[in-house]
Amino acid sequence: MRAVQFTEYGPPSVVHVAEVEEPHAGAGTVRVAVRATGLSPGETLLRSGAMRAMVPAAFPYLTGFDAAGVVDEVGVGAEGVRPGDEVFGMTSTTGRAANAEYAVLTAWARKPAGWSWEEAGGAAGSVETGTRVLDRLGVRAGQTVLVQGAAGETGAVAVQLALARGARVVGTASAHNHDFLRSLGAEPTTYGAGLAERVRALAPDGIDAVFDCARGALPELVELAGDPTRVVTIADFDAPAHGVHLSHGAAGGDAVGAADPVAVHGLGIAVDLAERGRLRVPVAAVFPLEQAAAAHALSETRHARGRIVLTV
């Protein structure tokens, strides 16, 4: 089958499609014929070598954590699913390889009827990450949450998940993305110098929790939260120096494994919200599998509004 991989660290050009052996469903898993699959920004860091000390890549590295498609194999013990079902979900962090013609999913849910294949293909990773971080922060109704980098692929989903919990959300983004954030239900402001003052003007009663999807602002974010334990980042590797927790599925600690309960729980919530019109997955760009290198190049700009998706 065709799958996206890289065999050395380097720029986006090292990413290519290769013929590899097909995977098959094992115990408690399903295999899907992939229709669409998300590109994880974290994998651009892996590919560049920036994370080699934390997560060394075993070459060839087959990319991709989430996908949507049609089930064609059901492993022993995988219940409530059968061949022909349309699902979305994610692989384990050790298995990966979702950017391919076939993928084995360890956590999945039925594809909401209102989602396109592209939305579903890019949903699972953002949903799992958003659920994981909001759970760690203990976000609940009545709280005010700051999402730093709210227009990005994870930030946009996290905004909606926090709102669904009854929280008020302040989101940072470039000025041209403010109407987009308002459409999601967030109160927008810009990031950069003076962030703390702008956020206090919007939320004079304070910020209860901070979900950082960007990098480089941890001192101000901790100041706004009042305690580093009320800040979680998925993007800033300087987190330990500021007493902030780094939550990253590929970095250990919070790693997503087979039948991970957070992933299963989060996907179920996503389906419910989607069917009530309360969760959409913004798609920034769609590339065919063969243009994965171009997708990596766009991801590295960190200016994509929503998820970058590959189609098969």
Side-chain angles (χ1 to χ4, degrees):
M1 71 168 185
R2 294 175 298 137
V4 178
Q5 67 173 31
F6 57 89
T7 56
E8 60 181 321
Y9 294 120
S13 59
V14 303
V15 176
H16 60 279
V17 172
E19 286 291 331
V20 303
E21 187 175 346
E22 287 185 15
H24 293 282
T29 69
V30 299
R31 189 179 84 160
V32 297
V34 176
R35 296 292 185 268
T37 175
L39 169 63
S40 167
E43 288 194 310
T44 67
L45 295 173
L46 285 170
R47 187 217 70 237
S48 71
M51 293 177 64
R52 73 179 73 189
M54 184 180 298
V55 190
F59 300 126
Y61 181 100
L62 274 64
T63 65
F65 292 101
D66 48 7
V70 179
V71 174
D72 73 345
E73 290 182 3
V74 178
V76 175
E79 299 179 350
V81 63
R82 60 185 179 181
D85 286 352
E86 297 182 350
V87 301
F88 74 107
M90 58 196 308
T91 66
S92 70
T93 53
T94 54
R96 301 185 178 93
N99 298 158
E101 289 185 279
Y102 297 94
V104 173
L105 306 181
T106 58
W108 64 88
R110 59 185 170 81
K111 172 183 167 292
W115 279 0
S116 66
W117 280 117
E118 290 78 12
E119 289 174 293
S126 296
V127 166
E128 187 281 326
T129 302
T131 302
R132 170 170 25 103
V133 173
L134 294 174
D135 281 355
R136 185 178 182 92
L137 288 167
V139 171
R140 61 186 185 276
Q143 292 188 325
T144 299
V145 178
L146 173 63
V147 179
Q148 169 82 336
E153 61 173 55
T154 300
V157 170
V159 164
Q160 297 170 84
L161 293 176
L163 289 167
R165 295 180 181 217
R168 175 192 179 195
V169 179
V170 175
T172 71
S174 299
H176 70 274
N177 281 323
H178 284 190
D179 284 344
F180 169 66
L181 291 188
R182 291 188 187 98
S183 76
L184 297 179
E187 298 170 53
T189 189
T190 52
Y191 47 75
L195 172 65
E197 290 75 14
R198 290 190 296 276
V199 171
R200 289 194 186 100
L202 285 172
D205 292 332
I207 295 294
D208 297 295
V210 177
F211 187 160
D212 176 35
C213 302
R215 62 171 68 94
L218 286 182
E220 282 190 291
L221 298 179
V222 170
E223 177 189 347
L224 283 165
D227 187 329
T229 64
R230 292 161 62 185
V231 180
V232 172
T233 183
I234 62 170
D236 200 322
F237 297 104
D238 290 332
H242 301 279
V244 170
H245 180 72
L246 171 64
S247 184
H248 200 292
D254 293 333
V256 180
D260 180 80
V262 174
V264 174
H265 172 64
L267 297 181
I269 290 174
V271 171
D272 177 65
L273 292 175
E275 293 186 339
R276 290 190 285 132
R278 298 185 62 189
L279 179 63
R280 56 193 175 101
V281 182
V283 176
V286 179
F287 294 84
L289 203 66
E290 290 76 12
Q291 293 182 20
H296 271 246
L298 175 59
S299 180
E300 284 192 337
T301 69
R302 298 296 186 258
H303 293 306
R305 189 172 77 184
R307 198 75 197 269
I308 298 171
V309 175
L310 303 173
T311 54
V312 181

